[in-house]
């Protein structure tokens, strides 16, 4: 068994490789994460990996007495009287995994839970229920085979498992984002929001537009899109330029870390076993509440300070004026523009709602209409199918709007997939690194905390993510690393609350400490014309305030409504 010091050292080496590789050696995040995963796997003993795997395959023990135990195993044709199980334990002195007893299925109680007779193995170190787990003989063999894989296969397994969960979604989201930008649909959404709230309330329009666009479009791209509109508004009003900048950042940055299918929150949800529909709903609610705090912060700050509209490298003031004067007739309709964003949200969350409502309901008690609706959402509410439908609509919109030929369309899609491919590589490499961290037994470091305090677990997740963000800059990489450390608490029984709250705490932690090592810092500063000091003084505190507020909301919700 790895000691506390050894586990911390291995995890620390992995974190140093990620942070040092990205900052010190300017490695691409993909390379840094893969290298860290390989090194952590090399340093982790096979017996520790085997024990980690057995923990994933164990059968929960409801209670135990002298010579017997009750397992959380329901009666079924696959479970027969006389079936054998094993009690395994990791020996502290050597770290090896030992079978300390056999368990024979004797009967089922009135709740159909399995009652087993325990027979200690002669020569073993003895049964210790605080340290022993119950597994099937097949699970023991599988865990041994898993631990004896080469390091390359272990890392590749984590990489592939992550790709399976999120690869298609990220590629489709990249296509949707590219089509929204090239067709003018994104600009149409911003203008439509402006027409609803009025130019006087343009900051609110920027918040909601940025929030909506940052779900399928990466934050840097959303800022590129919206800052010219903010500058054009400054030309019209002659004031409030800093307010426009801050509100564009507010909406976009919160969706970037809390609402799938943006890669960061999508990856965190997959790792923690959180339904994507639940993550969209919870992330949307917390993200919008944080955005409102950011809005209030911006309003108060801009009563005392503003910055001038300056020339910036991206475009001249004359080009800005041309954007402001662009005709609405050159843009797609608002319904066509919104559909690629709204439709997958409705389908995915609809499937989540139907699954929640009908959970535990006998099929015979469901009316034909409800059954048809349920089957509709089973098919089209699948996250991959919903996003594929949305991408198809976005492509059709681009073709209609631009009236481009097949080669132009192919070039647009190729550019989108090239951009999405890089994100897939980074997140999948992060998945491999996260799995390597989990196999060290990192969850054991927080075992006492997990049993004691909901608040403490969420604070730990927030702080780990925030520290990684401070060290290396990327919000997405900090979320990948944070969930790698905390993912072993995904089971609701261990947490005492729904894992979506853990995902939200990780997302909020990624909002902390925006500074020079983050590409977003330079995008915001250079595109808006702010100096480095102005960006640090005005933008960084706002994103940190939103992150802390999001953590507080998450803690309150997890304590008031644990949802388990």
């Amino acid at each position: 068994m790895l000691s506390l010091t050894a586990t911390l050292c291995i995890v620390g080496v992995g974190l140093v490789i990620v942070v040092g590789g990205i900052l010190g050696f300017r490695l691409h995040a993909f390379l840094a994460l893969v290298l860290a995963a390989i090194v952590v796997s090399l340093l982790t003993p096979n017996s520790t990996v085997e024990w980690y795997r057995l923990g994933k395959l164990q059968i929960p023990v409801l209670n135990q007495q002298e010579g017997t135990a009750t397992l959380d195993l329901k009666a079924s044709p696959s479970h027969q009287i006389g079936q054998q199980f094993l009690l395994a334990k990791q020996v502290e002195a050597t770290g090896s995994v030992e079978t300390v007893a056999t368990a024979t299925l004797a009967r089922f109680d009135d709740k159909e839970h399995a009652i087993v007779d325990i027979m200690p193995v002669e020569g073993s170190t003895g049964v210790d229920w605080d340290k022993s787990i119950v597994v099937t003989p097949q699970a023991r063999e599988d865990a041994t085979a898993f631990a004896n894989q080469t390091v390359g296969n272990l890392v590749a397994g984590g990489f592939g498992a992550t790709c399976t969960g999120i690869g298609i979604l990220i590629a489709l989201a990249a296509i949707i984002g590219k089509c929204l930008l090239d067709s003018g649909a994104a600009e149409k959404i911003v203008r439509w929001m402006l027409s609803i709230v009025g130019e006087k309330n343009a900051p609110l329009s920027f918040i909601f537009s940025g929030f909506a666009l940052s779900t399928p479009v990466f934050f840097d791209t959303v800022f590129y899109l919206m800052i010219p509109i903010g500058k054009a508004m400054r030309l019209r009003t002659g004031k409030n330029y800093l307010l426009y900048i801050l509100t564009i950042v507010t909406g976009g940055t919160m969706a970037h870390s809390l609402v799938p299918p943006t890669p960061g929150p999508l990856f965190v949800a997959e790792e923690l076993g959180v339904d994507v529909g639940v993550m969209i709903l919870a992330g949307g609610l917390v993200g919008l509440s944080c955005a409102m705090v950011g809005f209030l912060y911006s309003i108060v700050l801009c009563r005392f300070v503003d910055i001038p509209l300056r020339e910036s490298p991206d475009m001249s003031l004359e080009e800005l004026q041309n954007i402001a004067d662009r005709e609405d007739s050159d843009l797609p309709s608002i319904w066509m523009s919104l559909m690629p964003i709204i439709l997958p949200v409705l389908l995915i969350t609809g499937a989540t709602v139907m699954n929640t409502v009908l959970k535990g309901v006998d099929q015979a008690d469901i009316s034909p209409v409800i059954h048809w609706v349920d089957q509709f959402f089973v098919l089209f509410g699948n996250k991959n199918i919903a996003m594929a439908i949305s991408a198809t609509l976005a492509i059709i919109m681009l073709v209609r709007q631009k009236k481009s030929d097949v080669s132009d369309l192919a070039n647009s899609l190729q550019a989108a997939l090239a951009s999405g491919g890089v994100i897939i590589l980074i997140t999948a490499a992060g998945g491999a690194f996260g799995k390597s961290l989990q196999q060290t037994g990192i969850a054991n470091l927080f075992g006492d905390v997990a049993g004691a305090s909901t608040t403490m677990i969420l604070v730990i997740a927030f702080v780990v993510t925030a520290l990684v963000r401070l060290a290396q800059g990327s919000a997405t990489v900090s979320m990948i690393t944070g969930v790698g450390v905390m993912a072993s608490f995904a089971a609701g029984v261990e947490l005492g609350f729904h894992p979506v709250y853990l995902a939200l705490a990780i997302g909020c932690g990624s909002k902390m400490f925006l500074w020079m090592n983050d590409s977003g810092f330079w995008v915001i500063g250079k595109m808006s014309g702010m100096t480095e000091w102005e960006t640090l003084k005005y933008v960084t505190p706002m994103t940190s305030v939103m992150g802390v507020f999001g953590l507080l909301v998450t803690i309150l919700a997890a304590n008031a409504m644990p949802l388990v």
Side-chain angles (χ1 to χ4, degrees):
M1 179 181 293
L2 279 177
S3 67
L4 174 62
T5 302
T7 302
L8 285 175
C9 286
I10 293 174
V11 173
V13 167
L15 295 179
V16 167
I17 290 173
V18 173
V19 175
I22 294 173
L23 288 182
F25 295 95
R26 303 300 180 191
L27 288 179
H28 191 279
F30 166 76
L31 294 175
L33 287 164
V34 168
L35 179 60
I38 292 172
V39 171
V40 169
S41 291
L42 282 171
L43 295 175
T44 305
N46 281 12
S47 58
T48 301
V49 177
E50 181 181 359
W51 185 247
Y52 160 81
R53 184 64 176 174
L54 279 175
K56 293 290 185 181
L57 302 174
Q58 69 176 301
I59 301 170
V61 178
L62 299 177
N63 58 66
Q64 72 280 333
Q65 299 176 357
E66 187 69 27
T68 65
T70 303
L71 307 183
D72 188 11
L73 190 69
K74 294 286 188 176
S76 74
S78 61
H79 301 307
Q80 303 291 331
I81 303 299
Q83 182 177 350
Q84 294 291 308
F85 301 91
L86 304 176
L87 267 73
K89 182 175 74 172
Q90 192 172 23
V91 182
E92 292 187 13
T94 63
S96 62
V97 179
E98 175 190 34
T99 299
V100 295
T102 59
T104 305
L105 179 53
R107 59 186 176 84
F108 291 95
D109 63 14
D110 54 358
K111 295 182 180 179
E112 296 189 333
H113 290 131
I115 307 297
V116 294
D117 292 328
I118 307 299
M119 179 65 67
V121 173
E122 187 175 350
S124 70
T125 56
V127 176
D128 183 347
W129 284 104
D130 291 332
K131 299 178 180 179
S132 300
I133 58 176
V134 178
V135 296
T136 64
Q138 183 61 49
R140 179 70 196 274
E141 292 177 9
D142 291 346
T144 302
F146 179 85
N148 288 331
Q149 293 182 89
T150 64
V151 167
N153 284 341
L154 283 172
V155 173
F159 186 96
T162 306
C163 276
T164 300
I166 66 174
I168 293 176
L169 290 176
I170 293 177
L172 293 174
I175 291 174
I176 294 168
K178 180 67 172 173
C179 292
L180 288 176
L181 293 173
D182 289 356
S183 66
E187 186 176 343
K188 178 68 175 184
I189 292 171
V190 177
R191 291 191 178 192
W192 176 68
M193 290 297 299
L194 278 171
S195 69
I196 292 177
V197 302
E199 289 191 357
K200 181 180 179 181
N201 296 313
L204 277 176
S205 169
F206 290 152
I207 287 176
F208 290 113
S209 299
F211 196 90
L213 292 173
S214 283
T215 54
V217 184
F218 305 134
F219 170 74
D220 289 5
T221 306
V222 170
F223 193 84
Y224 273 118
L225 164 76
M226 294 186 64
I227 192 59
I229 301 173
K231 291 179 177 180
M233 285 298 302
R234 167 62 176 76
L235 287 174
R236 293 181 189 176
T237 62
K239 58 183 179 179
N240 293 334
Y241 183 44
L242 179 58
L243 181 60
Y244 299 147
I245 295 171
L246 294 179
T247 48
I248 290 171
V249 173
T250 296
T253 194
M254 291 313 304
H256 178 76
S257 290
L258 292 175
V259 185
T262 311
L266 176 63
F267 176 82
V268 171
E270 289 289 336
E271 286 295 290
L272 295 178
V274 178
D275 180 86
V276 174
V278 172
M279 189 66 193
I280 290 173
L281 289 171
L285 290 172
V286 173
L288 285 173
S289 67
C290 293
M292 290 301 100
V293 170
F295 176 59
L296 293 175
Y297 172 95
S298 304
I299 291 289
V300 173
L301 175 65
C302 294
R303 288 182 180 274
F304 304 99
V305 64
D306 198 9
I307 61 173
L309 179 61
R310 307 178 181 117
E311 294 277 358
S312 58
D314 57 308
M315 61 182 64
S316 66
L317 296 180
E318 181 180 353
E319 290 172 315
L320 287 173
Q321 193 65 57
N322 292 334
I323 289 177
D325 296 337
R326 187 178 177 184
E327 295 293 333
D328 265 1
S329 59
D330 296 333
L331 304 175
S333 68
I334 185 58
W335 293 111
M336 187 176 291
S337 301
L338 285 172
M339 193 56 66
I341 299 174
I342 294 176
L343 184 61
V345 172
L346 292 177
L347 290 174
I348 294 171
T349 54
T352 301
V353 170
M354 290 300 297
N355 183 60
T356 302
V357 170
L358 299 180
K359 189 175 183 178
V361 178
D362 194 318
Q363 290 291 319
D365 297 331
I366 299 175
S367 69
V369 174
I370 298 299
H371 179 73
W372 183 88
V373 172
D374 180 46
Q375 292 304 304
F376 172 86
F377 280 111
V378 167
L379 175 60
F380 295 107
N382 174 274
K383 56 192 177 186
N384 292 312
I385 299 298
M387 289 294 289
I389 294 171
S390 178
T392 302
L393 292 175
I395 293 171
I396 293 172
M397 176 179 63
L398 176 61
V399 171
R400 288 188 56 184
Q401 193 64 30
K402 304 293 283 187
K403 297 181 172 60
S404 55
D405 58 27
V406 174
S407 61
D408 289 338
L409 177 62
N411 289 335
S412 292
L413 297 182
Q414 184 175 349
L417 292 173
S419 172
V422 172
I423 303 299
I424 292 171
L425 285 175
I426 293 173
T427 50
F433 178 49
K435 287 292 188 292
S436 298
L437 287 177
Q438 293 167 38
Q439 290 163 15
T440 65
I442 183 67
N444 296 331
L445 302 181
F446 305 103
D448 293 337
V449 176
S453 172
T454 291
T455 299
M456 187 59 69
I457 297 174
L458 296 177
V459 169
I460 289 173
F462 178 88
V463 170
V464 168
T465 308
L467 290 176
V468 176
R469 172 71 190 272
L470 173 65
Q472 56 77 48
S474 168
T476 300
V477 173
S478 68
M479 295 175 73
I480 289 172
T481 307
V483 78
V485 174
M486 302 301 297
S488 296
F489 296 114
V493 173
E494 296 179 14
L495 281 173
F497 56 85
H498 197 288
V500 71
Y501 295 119
L502 189 59
L504 294 174
I506 291 170
C508 291
S510 73
K511 296 297 92 186
M512 304 298 293
F513 310 130
L514 174 75
W515 68 296
M516 283 87 159
N517 62 350
D518 181 15
S519 63
F521 176 91
W522 297 104
V523 168
I524 294 168
K526 295 300 182 184
M527 294 291 292
S528 65
M530 288 194 296
T531 66
E532 288 82 357
W533 174 238
E534 287 171 339
T535 309
L536 278 173
K537 188 164 56 172
Y538 303 136
V539 180
T540 302
M542 183 188 71
T543 59
S544 297
V545 166
M546 290 191 296
V548 171
F549 180 80
L551 174 64
L552 294 176
V553 171
T554 302
I555 289 173
L556 290 173
N559 282 284
M561 298 180 296
L563 302 179
V564 292

